Protein backbone atom coordinates (compact mmCIF):
# COMPACT_ATOMS: atom_id res chain seq x y z
CA UNK A 1 0.00 0.00 0.00
CA UNK A 2 1.08 3.58 -0.51
CA UNK A 3 0.69 6.35 2.08
CA UNK A 4 0.41 9.99 1.03
CA UNK A 5 2.61 11.63 3.65
CA UNK A 6 2.89 15.27 4.68
CA UNK A 7 4.24 16.88 7.84
CA UNK A 8 0.70 17.94 8.79
CA UNK A 9 -1.32 15.93 11.35
CA UNK A 10 -3.37 14.24 8.60
CA UNK A 11 -0.20 12.95 6.97
CA UNK A 12 1.09 11.52 10.23
CA UNK A 13 -2.27 9.87 10.94
CA UNK A 14 -2.28 8.33 7.45
CA UNK A 15 1.21 7.00 8.08
CA UNK A 16 0.20 5.40 11.38
CA UNK A 17 -2.87 3.83 9.78
CA UNK A 18 -0.93 2.56 6.75
CA UNK A 19 1.76 1.06 8.97
CA UNK A 20 -0.86 -0.66 11.15
CA UNK A 21 -2.62 -2.10 8.10
CA UNK A 22 0.69 -3.34 6.71
CA UNK A 23 1.49 -5.15 9.95
CA UNK A 24 -1.88 -6.88 9.90
CA UNK A 25 -1.90 -7.83 6.22
CA UNK A 26 1.80 -8.54 5.74
CA UNK A 27 1.84 -6.20 2.76
CA UNK A 28 4.57 -3.85 1.57
CA UNK A 29 4.49 -0.20 2.57
CA UNK A 30 5.52 2.75 0.41
CA UNK A 31 5.56 6.26 1.86
CA UNK A 32 5.32 9.04 -0.72
CA UNK A 33 5.50 12.83 -0.60
CA UNK A 34 4.37 14.75 -3.66
CA UNK A 35 5.77 18.16 -4.59
CA UNK A 36 4.96 20.54 -7.48
CA UNK A 37 7.23 20.82 -10.55
CA UNK A 38 9.78 23.62 -10.81
CA UNK A 39 10.17 23.95 -7.03
CA UNK A 40 13.66 22.89 -5.91
CA UNK A 41 13.00 24.16 -2.39
CA UNK A 42 9.85 22.06 -2.07
CA UNK A 43 11.72 19.04 -3.46
CA UNK A 44 14.22 19.39 -0.60
CA UNK A 45 11.36 19.82 1.86
CA UNK A 46 9.75 16.64 0.52
CA UNK A 47 12.94 14.71 1.24
CA UNK A 48 12.99 16.15 4.77
CA UNK A 49 9.37 15.07 5.24
CA UNK A 50 10.25 11.51 4.34
CA UNK A 51 13.16 11.57 6.79
CA UNK A 52 10.63 12.50 9.50
CA UNK A 53 8.35 9.69 8.34
CA UNK A 54 11.21 7.20 8.60
CA UNK A 55 11.87 8.38 12.17
CA UNK A 56 8.22 7.85 13.06
CA UNK A 57 8.18 4.34 11.60
CA UNK A 58 11.44 3.35 13.25
CA UNK A 59 12.53 -0.10 12.13
CA UNK A 60 9.33 -0.90 10.26
CA UNK A 61 10.27 -1.78 6.65
CA UNK A 62 9.12 0.74 4.06
CA UNK A 63 10.15 2.34 0.78
CA UNK A 64 10.30 6.15 0.64
CA UNK A 65 9.60 8.10 -2.55
CA UNK A 66 9.36 11.77 -3.47
CA UNK A 67 7.49 12.46 -6.67
CA UNK A 68 6.97 15.57 -8.79
CA UNK A 69 3.40 16.21 -9.90
CA UNK A 70 1.05 19.14 -10.45
CA UNK A 71 -1.38 17.64 -7.95
CA UNK A 72 -0.83 15.40 -4.93
CA UNK A 73 -3.85 13.25 -5.74
CA UNK A 74 -2.74 12.73 -9.31
CA UNK A 75 0.84 12.03 -8.21
CA UNK A 76 -0.25 9.41 -5.68
CA UNK A 77 -2.48 7.75 -8.26
CA UNK A 78 0.34 7.57 -10.82
CA UNK A 79 2.78 6.21 -8.25
CA UNK A 80 0.26 3.64 -7.02
CA UNK A 81 -0.20 2.39 -10.56
CA UNK A 82 3.56 2.16 -11.12
CA UNK A 83 4.25 0.13 -8.00
CA UNK A 84 1.02 -1.87 -8.39
CA UNK A 85 -0.33 -0.82 -5.02
CA UNK A 86 -3.70 -2.16 -3.92
CA UNK A 87 -4.50 0.70 -1.57
CA UNK A 88 -3.78 4.42 -1.20
CA UNK A 89 -3.97 5.76 2.37
CA UNK A 90 -4.46 9.47 3.08
CA UNK A 91 -5.48 11.54 6.09
CA UNK A 92 -8.04 14.24 6.73
CA UNK A 93 -7.27 17.86 5.98
CA UNK A 94 -6.45 20.21 8.84
CA UNK A 95 -9.20 22.07 10.64
CA UNK A 96 -11.79 19.30 10.53
CA UNK A 97 -13.88 17.94 13.37
CA UNK A 98 -12.08 15.65 15.79
CA UNK A 99 -12.76 12.00 14.98
CA UNK A 100 -14.38 12.77 11.61
CA UNK A 101 -13.17 12.76 8.02
CA UNK A 102 -12.65 16.08 6.27
CA UNK A 103 -11.69 15.91 2.62
CA UNK A 104 -9.03 18.10 1.07
CA UNK A 105 -8.02 18.47 -2.56
CA UNK A 106 -5.89 15.29 -2.51
CA UNK A 107 -8.47 12.95 -1.01
CA UNK A 108 -11.28 14.50 -3.06
CA UNK A 109 -9.31 13.87 -6.27
CA UNK A 110 -8.59 10.25 -5.31
CA UNK A 111 -12.19 9.55 -4.32
CA UNK A 112 -13.36 10.54 -7.78
CA UNK A 113 -10.62 9.21 -10.07
CA UNK A 114 -8.33 6.67 -8.39
CA UNK A 115 -7.77 3.28 -10.01
CA UNK A 116 -6.86 1.81 -6.61
CA UNK A 117 -8.85 1.47 -3.41
CA UNK A 118 -8.61 4.59 -1.23
CA UNK A 119 -8.58 4.64 2.57
CA UNK A 120 -9.11 7.90 4.48
CA UNK A 121 -8.33 8.32 8.18
CA UNK A 122 -10.45 10.55 10.45
CA UNK A 123 -8.80 13.54 12.09
CA UNK A 124 -6.67 12.62 15.13
CA UNK A 125 -7.19 8.92 14.46
CA UNK A 126 -5.05 6.51 16.48
CA UNK A 127 -4.98 2.93 15.10
CA UNK A 128 -5.66 0.01 17.42
CA UNK A 129 -3.55 -3.16 17.39
CA UNK A 130 -5.58 -4.56 14.50
CA UNK A 131 -8.97 -4.31 12.80
CA UNK A 132 -11.82 -5.11 15.16
CA UNK A 133 -14.42 -5.65 12.45
CA UNK A 134 -15.05 -4.97 8.77
CA UNK A 135 -18.32 -3.17 8.06
CA UNK A 136 -19.56 -2.97 4.49
CA UNK A 137 -22.13 -0.31 3.59
CA UNK A 138 -24.63 -2.35 1.60
CA UNK A 139 -27.18 -1.39 -1.03
CA UNK A 140 -28.69 -4.06 -3.26
CA UNK A 141 -26.79 -3.49 -6.50
CA UNK A 142 -24.06 -5.35 -8.43
CA UNK A 143 -21.10 -3.35 -7.07
CA UNK A 144 -22.12 -4.07 -3.48
CA UNK A 145 -22.85 -7.73 -4.14
CA UNK A 146 -19.34 -8.14 -5.54
CA UNK A 147 -17.95 -6.27 -2.52
CA UNK A 148 -19.75 -8.67 -0.14
CA UNK A 149 -17.73 -11.58 -1.52
CA UNK A 150 -14.46 -9.63 -1.46
CA UNK A 151 -14.96 -8.40 2.11
CA UNK A 152 -16.03 -11.85 3.30
CA UNK A 153 -12.75 -13.19 1.94
CA UNK A 154 -10.84 -10.35 3.64
CA UNK A 155 -12.60 -10.93 6.98
CA UNK A 156 -11.79 -14.63 6.75
CA UNK A 157 -8.09 -13.93 6.11
CA UNK A 158 -7.88 -11.35 8.90
CA UNK A 159 -9.89 -13.43 11.35
CA UNK A 160 -12.34 -10.63 12.16
CA UNK A 161 -16.16 -10.36 12.00
CA UNK A 162 -17.94 -8.98 8.96
CA UNK A 163 -20.94 -6.68 9.33
CA UNK A 164 -23.27 -5.64 6.51
CA UNK A 165 -25.06 -2.39 7.19
CA UNK A 166 -27.77 -0.61 5.23
CA UNK A 167 -29.49 2.71 5.87
CA UNK A 168 -33.14 3.39 6.49
CA UNK A 169 -33.62 7.13 6.05
CA UNK A 170 -37.39 6.71 6.33
CA UNK A 171 -37.82 6.87 2.58
CA UNK A 172 -37.92 3.15 1.76
CA UNK A 173 -39.72 -0.02 2.81
CA UNK A 174 -37.69 -1.42 5.73
CA UNK A 175 -38.98 -4.91 5.00
CA UNK A 176 -37.35 -4.79 1.58
CA UNK A 177 -34.11 -3.45 3.08
CA UNK A 178 -34.00 -6.36 5.53
CA UNK A 179 -34.77 -8.87 2.76
CA UNK A 180 -31.90 -7.45 0.70
CA UNK A 181 -29.58 -7.71 3.71
CA UNK A 182 -30.60 -11.32 4.28
CA UNK A 183 -29.66 -12.15 0.68
CA UNK A 184 -26.30 -10.43 1.15
CA UNK A 185 -25.65 -12.40 4.35
CA UNK A 186 -26.42 -15.57 2.42
CA UNK A 187 -24.02 -14.51 -0.33
CA UNK A 188 -21.21 -14.06 2.21
CA UNK A 189 -21.94 -17.50 3.65
CA UNK A 190 -22.07 -19.24 0.29
CA UNK A 191 -18.81 -17.65 -0.90
CA UNK A 192 -16.69 -18.13 2.25
CA UNK A 193 -18.65 -19.83 5.04
CA UNK A 194 -18.60 -16.59 7.07
CA UNK A 195 -21.72 -15.80 9.06
CA UNK A 196 -21.93 -12.03 8.58
CA UNK A 197 -23.72 -9.74 11.01
CA UNK A 198 -26.37 -7.46 9.53
CA UNK A 199 -27.88 -4.21 10.73
CA UNK A 200 -30.24 -1.51 9.53
CA UNK A 201 -29.14 1.97 10.61
CA UNK A 202 -32.13 4.27 11.10
CA UNK A 203 -32.28 8.05 11.12
CA UNK A 204 -33.73 11.11 9.47
CA UNK A 205 -30.41 11.65 7.67
CA UNK A 206 -27.13 9.81 7.11
CA UNK A 207 -25.35 11.35 10.11
CA UNK A 208 -28.20 10.34 12.44
CA UNK A 209 -28.25 6.82 10.98
CA UNK A 210 -24.47 6.48 11.45
CA UNK A 211 -24.86 7.53 15.09
CA UNK A 212 -27.64 4.94 15.52
CA UNK A 213 -25.26 1.97 15.35
CA UNK A 214 -22.25 0.88 17.39
CA UNK A 215 -18.70 1.31 16.10
CA UNK A 216 -15.99 -0.86 17.63
CA UNK A 217 -12.35 0.07 18.27
CA UNK A 218 -10.45 -0.88 15.13
CA UNK A 219 -13.57 -0.83 12.96
CA UNK A 220 -13.07 -0.29 9.23
CA UNK A 221 -15.92 0.92 7.03
CA UNK A 222 -15.90 -0.13 3.37
CA UNK A 223 -17.93 1.39 0.53
CA UNK A 224 -18.26 0.14 -3.02
CA UNK A 225 -17.88 2.62 -5.86
CA UNK A 226 -20.99 4.22 -7.29
CA UNK A 227 -22.63 2.62 -10.32
CA UNK A 228 -21.70 5.87 -12.09
CA UNK A 229 -17.99 5.11 -11.67
CA UNK A 230 -15.94 4.29 -14.73
CA UNK A 231 -14.63 0.70 -14.83
CA UNK A 232 -11.72 0.22 -12.41
CA UNK A 233 -12.17 3.70 -10.94
CA UNK A 234 -13.31 5.04 -7.58
CA UNK A 235 -16.32 7.34 -7.56
CA UNK A 236 -18.49 8.16 -4.55
CA UNK A 237 -22.17 8.90 -4.85
CA UNK A 238 -23.99 11.47 -2.72
CA UNK A 239 -25.12 9.01 -0.01
CA UNK A 240 -21.67 7.44 0.35
CA UNK A 241 -20.03 10.86 0.54
CA UNK A 242 -22.32 11.84 3.43
CA UNK A 243 -21.57 8.53 5.12
CA UNK A 244 -17.83 9.08 4.75
CA UNK A 245 -18.05 12.52 6.37
CA UNK A 246 -20.06 11.11 9.31
CA UNK A 247 -17.86 8.06 9.88
CA UNK A 248 -15.98 7.78 13.21
CA UNK A 249 -13.60 5.21 11.72
CA UNK A 250 -11.39 4.92 8.62
CA UNK A 251 -13.28 4.49 5.37
CA UNK A 252 -12.09 2.50 2.37
CA UNK A 253 -13.68 3.04 -1.04
CA UNK A 254 -13.29 0.27 -3.60
CA UNK A 255 -12.97 1.00 -7.31
CA UNK A 256 -15.59 -0.39 -9.65
CA UNK A 257 -14.65 -3.95 -10.56
CA UNK A 258 -12.26 -4.24 -7.59
CA UNK A 259 -10.65 -7.66 -7.32
Amino acid sequence: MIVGYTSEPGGREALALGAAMTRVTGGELTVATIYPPGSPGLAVEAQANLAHAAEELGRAPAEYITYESRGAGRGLSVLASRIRADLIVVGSTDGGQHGRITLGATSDHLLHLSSEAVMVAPAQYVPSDGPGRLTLAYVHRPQCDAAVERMAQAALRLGVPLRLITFDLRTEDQGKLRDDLALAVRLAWESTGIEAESEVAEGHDVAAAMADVEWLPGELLICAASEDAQPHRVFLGELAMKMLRASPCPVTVLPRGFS
Side-chain angles (χ1 to χ4, degrees):
M1 66 187 69
I2 184 167
V3 169
Y5 181 79
T6 69
S7 59
E8 303 298 327
R12 296 194 294 271
E13 288 148 14
L15 180 66
L17 177 57
M21 292 299 299
T22 303
R23 288 193 297 270
V24 169
T25 62
E28 298 178 356
L29 178 63
T30 296
V31 183
T33 295
I34 312 299
Y35 65 94
S39 306
L42 292 178
V44 172
E45 185 178 317
Q47 291 285 358
N49 281 344
L50 290 187
H52 293 150
E55 289 178 5
E56 291 191 40
L57 286 183
R59 296 184 178 181
E63 182 178 4
Y64 298 90
I65 298 176
T66 59
Y67 186 73
E68 184 180 84
S69 175
R70 294 190 180 279
R74 181 179 182 279
L76 286 172
S77 190
V78 170
L79 271 180
S81 179
R82 288 185 180 179
I83 68 173
R84 297 185 178 180
D86 300 299
L87 180 67
I88 302 173
V89 184
V90 292
S92 290
T93 192
D94 288 348
Q97 181 182 354
H98 171 75
R100 292 292 184 268
I101 291 172
T102 304
L103 300 181
T106 300
S107 50
D108 188 63
H109 176 97
L110 291 170
L111 289 170
H112 288 90
L113 288 170
S114 176
S115 300
E116 291 75 30
V118 178
M119 177 180 283
V120 188
Q124 301 181 34
Y125 181 75
V126 178
S128 58
D129 293 336
R133 179 171 59 188
L134 302 183
T135 289
L136 175 66
Y138 182 79
V139 179
H140 184 47
R141 54 185 175 84
Q143 296 302 319
C144 282
D145 287 338
V148 168
E149 297 186 56
R150 299 287 180 264
M151 290 306 103
Q153 292 164 4
L156 187 64
R157 287 197 301 271
L158 295 172
V160 298
L162 172 66
R163 176 173 65 165
L164 307 178
I165 190 169
T166 196
F167 294 88
D168 176 13
L169 305 181
R170 300 170 184 167
T171 58
E172 297 186 55
D173 175 10
Q174 189 174 105
K176 182 180 183 306
L177 293 177
R178 292 191 179 278
D179 289 345
D180 289 344
L181 267 182
L183 291 173
V185 168
R186 180 177 176 181
L187 178 59
W189 171 260
E190 290 176 344
S191 59
T192 62
I194 275 189
E195 203 166 320
E197 306 167 24
S198 64
E199 194 162 353
V200 176
E202 300 180 56
H204 61 275
D205 60 20
V206 174
M210 290 285 286
D212 181 55
V213 295
E214 181 185 20
W215 300 94
L216 301 178
E219 189 108 36
L220 297 176
L221 175 61
I222 300 96
C223 301
S226 165
E227 296 294 320
D228 295 328
Q230 299 176 28
H232 310 296
R233 296 279 180 180
V234 162
F235 185 83
L236 274 187
E238 182 180 356
L239 177 67
M241 189 64 78
K242 291 178 180 178
M243 186 169 51
L244 179 142
R245 290 192 172 107
S247 176
C249 64
V251 176
T252 300
V253 185
L254 308 178
R256 186 174 181 183
F258 177 79
S259 59

